Structures are given as C-alpha cells and as structure tokens.
Amino acid sequence: MTLTRRFADLDIFWERHANPKSGWSRFLSVPLLLVATYTRDRRLLAVTLGWILVNPVAFPRVDRESDTGPAWMTRVVDAERAWLRGEVTAGSWHRLNTLAGPVTAYALYAAYRRRPVRAALAGAVSMTLKVAFVWGLERRAAAAAASE
C-alpha cells in the first residue's frame, strides 16, 4: 500500500477536513503566507504554517445529513480523497494542480523580494488554478458517481 493511499484512508483527517470551514480557511491561508513573507513577520509565518498543519483536524466532522446535501467544499474534499485513493482520475485537470505549485513558489519568492504586485498576481493565479483543479476534480467525481 502506497503512502498516498494510506493517507487517503485516514478518516480522522478527511472527515474533519471535509467540513467547509476547514477547506475554505485553509485555502485562504495563501494570502497570509504571502503577507508574512513580504513583511518578514516570523510570528505570522509561524502561526500561518501551524494553522495549515492543524487546520484539517481543527474542525468537527462534517454533517452529511443535511437536507440540502453536502456543501461544495465537502464534495471537493471528498473528490480529492477519491483521487488519492485512485477511485477517480483527474485527467487533464491534473495539469492545473501541477502548475499551481511553481506559481505559488514564485508568489512566495516575489513576496520575499518585496514585489507586492507580482506576489499578489501570482498568489491570485495560484489560488485560481487550485480552485479550477478541484472544481474539475469534483465534476469528474460526480460524473463517476452518477454512472455507477
């Protein structure tokens, strides 16, 4: 069993991270990382990195019994888990996720070099790439579930 598969099977992580508050607050950590890097604020950087690590288990388990069905962020996290398990393929959407990493690295570099416009633009692009990736992944997971 691969490390990725083992990670995907950790219910304590995924059932809490599927809480929309977890997904959205973790997503919004990117701007905080850029600000901490730009301002060289070590405390903010430490708190933000700590939050990124703790976030997936900081919220209660997601309520899957609501009348309206699971929230979009819950479906996204479920799709990511299914992808890591090999139950869903990302297809060409995977390119967006692959591209998001270097763009985020550049955003952090630009923030470190104190180039705020470049940092903000690259940060926005990286966040957009991630949203587009998970949107596509969620759509593929929904289509796969509908065809079963």
Side-chain angles (χ1 to χ4, degrees), residues 27-63:
F27 174 72
L28 294 173
S29 298
V30 171
L32 284 177
L33 274 177
L34 295 176
V35 168
T37 303
Y38 181 82
T39 61
R40 313 250 192 307
D41 187 334
R42 290 183 183 180
R43 286 185 192 164
L44 180 59
L45 182 61
V47 168
T48 304
L49 291 174
W51 175 246
I52 290 170
L53 291 173
V54 172
N55 171 282
V57 294
F59 293 92
R61 289 178 171 265
V62 69
D63 176 19

Side-chain angles (χ1 to χ4, degrees), residues 72-73 76 79-80 129-139:
W72 182 76
M73 185 55 82
V76 161
E80 281 185 303
L129 289 168
K130 186 63 176 181
V131 167
F133 166 69
V134 296
W135 177 79
L137 190 60
E138 186 271 332
R139 289 183 53 92

Side-chain angles (χ1 to χ4, degrees), residues 33-34 37-38 40 101-116 118-119 122-123:
L33 274 177
L34 295 176
T37 303
Y38 181 82
R40 313 250 192 307
V103 173
T104 303
Y106 176 75
L108 287 167
Y109 173 76
Y112 176 77
R113 299 290 294 171
R114 292 200 167 145
R115 296 185 174 141
R118 291 180 183 191

Side-chain angles (χ1 to χ4, degrees), residues 70-146:
W72 182 76
M73 185 55 82
T74 298
R75 295 192 315 269
V76 161
V77 171
D78 289 345
E80 281 185 303
R81 185 179 191 186
W83 173 55
L84 291 173
R85 285 180 164 170
E87 300 166 356
V88 174
T89 62
S92 59
W93 293 102
H94 182 63
R95 293 180 189 147
L96 299 176
N97 195 42
T98 302
L99 188 56
V103 173
T104 303
Y106 176 75
L108 287 167
Y109 173 76
Y112 176 77
R113 299 290 294 171
R114 292 200 167 145
R115 296 185 174 141
V117 173
R118 291 180 183 191
L121 286 174
V125 169
S126 79
M127 293 172 74
T128 301
L129 289 168
K130 186 63 176 181
V131 167
F133 166 69
V134 296
W135 177 79
L137 190 60
E138 186 271 332
R139 289 183 53 92
R140 289 180 69 94

Side-chain angles (χ1 to χ4, degrees), residues 2-24:
T2 67
L3 184 61
T4 302
R5 177 61 193 248
R6 283 183 148 169
F7 174 64
D9 287 337
L10 290 174
D11 286 338
I12 187 74
F13 174 89
W14 291 99
E15 285 301 311
R16 291 171 175 269
H17 188 42
N19 185 321
K21 293 176 185 173
S22 174
W24 286 117

